[in-house]
Amino acid sequence: MASPNSNSSSILPKITKKLAIRTLCLVVIVGGLIYGLEWFLGVRKDLKGLVKSDTVGWISAIQYQKDGRQAVLISPDGKIHKDAGYQAKATDRDLAWAPHGNFLYFISDRAEHNYNLFRWAPSSDEAAEQRTTGTRARSNPKFPRETIEEGDDVAKPLITCGGIIQQFDPKNQTTEQILPPTQKEIAETKGTGEEGASGIDSQFAGVYGNLGTSFREAQWCGKNKYIIGIMRRDNGEVLVLQDMQPVDGKFPQPKALTAGEHVDFDVNPKDGNIVYTVQHFMWPEKPPMDEKGQLVKKPFQNAAVIFDLQDGKGSVIAANDATGFGSPTIKPDGTLVAMVLGTVDNGALTPKGLVTFPTVQDPAFKQMRIPGEIYEPSWSPDGVHLVFALRGKDGKRSIFDLRTDDGTMRNVTGDSGGDFAFPRFSPQIKG
């Protein structure tokens, strides 16, 4: 006969095994619930990232207030829509439509007086959402000009942060340093806004330090194989091209394309090439010498240039010592560039009108010239309209829509009495 002790000893391992299995199942279930809750909260946090807005024909702009600047949207019926989250005396700036027109991004100091990135969904009556945090000022969000098949929730703009260029991930709200390139991976610290902040001086040591002191803005170009950027330096600005295709783990050295008191550029959405304007040209690096050891004469004072990424050469499309060019904007089909022309004084362009130039040889091309104090022209996605700010006799700027097929103009902001700047058509197209 078996003793009572032997029976109890055989039962205990079974009980212990069952308890262990139950405990393990409970841990798995709780872990799954926690993961599911985190996933749900993460998705819920950015449900607007999945939103679809009808913004065909809409125009974004900055409206100057008495003590600030406010981002506004103008619908095709002329109604001006204002963001509910704007605070008096705040400064909204640097508007950028997401590639499919579902969101408008902009920079503002409306929260804690620090310039951060905000996202506004035109389909919602809610206030624009703050997408970055931190004390380092953000500026100039730039989405790629070339076609992006993915939705607006994954399109990644370049932004300037403390003089360096970062790429912002809208889906995860993280940033990664892009320029100057680093030899090691930069950690993405979610929400702090301080990623890559190892000191501006150290960031621009070496090759980049010879070109400028900080970046003003940058944008992808050439099928996202290159980045074109404007750097500030003590005596003006320099346009820099960086090949983003590393060889043996190292990026090629940046190429300085031009320099001057002021530089602007746009990227051709069809071929990825660049059109830039330069006012009061300067040699980007050391002035070149001719065979006799004499300084080479400057090629021009003010100019507009097409730079071909394939052959690495620039072609001058307009040059003038007395007239300056600025704010180039390329038609969506890539065939025309419109820009402002005017007089240049102390690095500032006083607009006298708008002019167009072909980007390709076209015997049938007819130049369009529109007189007036015109600012910040921008094409509609169908290439039929040009929108710009035009200063009136009262000193305020209204937004005008120019039909390029018949030359008719419409005052979009009408008799609102507002003062507007930086108009941009939504990139969304019917259908």
Side-chain angles (χ1 to χ4, degrees), residues 103-178:
F103 300 102
L104 178 69
Y105 284 81
F106 60 90
I107 302 294
S108 181
D109 65 347
R110 60 176 64 177
E112 301 177 358
H113 303 291
N114 297 318
Y115 284 103
N116 274 291
L117 186 68
F118 286 75
R119 186 184 71 179
W120 187 7
S123 62
S124 171
D125 293 330
E126 297 180 15
E129 302 173 297
Q130 185 174 342
R131 306 301 286 172
T132 64
T133 59
T135 58
R136 300 179 72 208
R138 260 74 177 206
S139 62
N140 289 314
K142 296 283 187 181
F143 286 92
R145 283 293 319 268
E146 297 170 89
T147 302
I148 292 179
E149 299 298 336
E150 298 88 350
D152 285 347
D153 58 325
V154 296
K156 299 177 181 180
L158 296 181
I159 59 175
T160 308
C161 179
I164 63 175
I165 299 300
Q166 298 177 336
Q167 183 167 260
F168 175 71
D169 186 335
K171 196 170 186 178
N172 300 317
Q173 291 179 249
T174 56
T175 55
E176 175 187 3
Q177 181 173 327
I178 300 295

Side-chain angles (χ1 to χ4, degrees), residues 31-54:
L33 289 173
I34 293 174
Y35 175 82
L37 179 61
E38 289 181 345
W39 175 86
F40 173 76
L41 291 176
V43 172
R44 186 171 179 267
K45 182 179 180 181
D46 194 26
L47 285 176
K48 288 184 182 178
L50 306 176
V51 77
K52 301 295 181 184
S53 300
D54 181 5

Side-chain angles (χ1 to χ4, degrees), residues 240-389:
V240 177
L241 181 69
Q242 175 66 60
D243 188 337
M244 298 303 292
Q245 304 167 89
V247 179
D248 297 329
K250 294 184 179 181
F251 289 100
Q253 291 192 355
K255 182 176 182 179
L257 302 186
T258 192
E261 289 186 356
H262 186 76
V263 179
D264 285 328
F265 72 85
D266 194 18
V267 175
N268 192 317
K270 285 301 180 182
D271 58 20
N273 289 329
I274 302 152
V275 171
Y276 67 80
T277 57
V278 56
Q279 299 162 19
H280 287 179
F281 172 86
M282 305 173 188
W283 296 111
E285 298 181 84
K286 290 183 178 180
M289 311 288 280
D290 62 20
E291 297 177 353
K292 298 180 180 179
Q294 302 294 318
L295 288 176
V296 174
K297 183 180 178 181
K298 292 182 180 180
F300 42 71
Q301 182 78 342
N302 310 298
V305 179
I306 297 176
F307 185 82
D308 192 311
L309 291 168
Q310 295 298 315
D311 61 21
K313 296 180 180 179
S315 303
V316 177
I317 56 176
N320 194 297
D321 287 348
T323 300
F325 307 91
S327 302
T329 177
I330 302 175
K331 190 176 178 181
D333 66 4
T335 60
L336 290 178
V337 57
M339 64 187 71
V340 172
L341 76 166
T343 57
V344 181
D345 185 28
N346 294 325
L349 178 68
T350 300
K352 300 297 182 182
L354 178 143
V355 64
T356 57
F357 296 97
T359 58
V360 295
Q361 293 293 332
D362 181 7
F365 169 74
K366 293 182 179 180
Q367 190 174 68
M368 180 174 60
R369 284 178 175 262
I370 306 296
E373 195 172 331
I374 291 173
Y375 297 84
E376 303 109 21
S378 180
W379 291 92
S380 63
D382 60 8
V384 175
H385 302 258
L386 268 170
V387 66
F388 49 80

